[in-house]
Amino acid sequence: MGAWMRAKGYEPKLVLCSTAERTKETLELVIPALTRRPQIRYDRSLYLAEWPALLAEIRAVADETSPLMVVGHNPGLEQLAIALALQAQSAAERGRLEKLAQKFPTAALAVLDFEIADWSGLKSGLGRLIDYVRPKDLDGGNGGDNE
């Protein structure tokens, strides 16, 4: 996943990561493949957080910190991605959203883009789901599902 992220240019400046061992291990597998090591903020409040709590954590991030990656747990993370991308604009984006809603497995990556001035303005429906990839997509040679 890290090599795929690097190839696509999806490299975070900051990572918000749950303090759970599994999330830390997942993140440590991704980091070496990136071209630069992002700032990492481990946060106990992300552990099994519901999506509104995850949204609140993102809203609290400094304005200039973008791109941002969140490494957390389901069902909250999956629900957050769906809530942020509710207003899919294209058929391709709707297809990605349907695929995401079917299953958001461990190590899956949803890439969302927002036209907001700062993170404090983030709310449901503002995101464009520009990519969604699961580990099995990479094994199969698909390499993601972007426009």
Side-chain angles (χ1 to χ4, degrees), residues 98-111:
E98 288 172 11
K99 193 172 168 185
L100 184 155
Q102 289 172 3
K103 179 123 174 126
F104 195 85
T106 299
L109 181 71
V111 181

Side-chain angles (χ1 to χ4, degrees), residues 78-103 110 112 127 129 131-132 145:
E78 176 180 352
Q79 292 168 348
L80 175 66
I82 291 168
L84 291 173
L86 268 177
Q87 305 297 322
Q89 300 297 312
S90 68
E93 191 177 353
R94 282 189 293 279
R96 286 190 291 276
L97 186 56
E98 288 172 11
K99 193 172 168 185
L100 184 155
Q102 289 172 3
K103 179 123 174 126
L112 294 115
L129 184 60
D131 220 333
Y132 174 65
D145 192 25

Side-chain angles (χ1 to χ4, degrees), residues 3-59:
W4 183 84
M5 289 172 60
R6 182 186 66 239
K8 298 290 246 170
Y10 300 147
E11 297 202 39
K13 183 175 181 181
L14 171 66
V15 177
L16 300 179
C17 184
S18 164
T19 55
E21 284 303 312
R22 188 168 183 188
T23 55
K24 292 192 284 188
E25 290 167 0
T26 298
L27 181 58
E28 287 306 317
L29 290 171
V30 169
I31 297 293
L34 303 177
T35 57
R36 68 181 187 283
R37 185 173 179 86
Q39 178 187 352
I40 302 170
R41 186 179 311 153
Y42 295 102
D43 189 338
R44 179 178 292 272
S45 69
L46 299 179
Y47 182 69
L48 298 178
E50 294 183 11
W51 78 265
L54 294 170
L55 182 60
E57 290 296 325
I58 295 169
R59 285 180 176 154

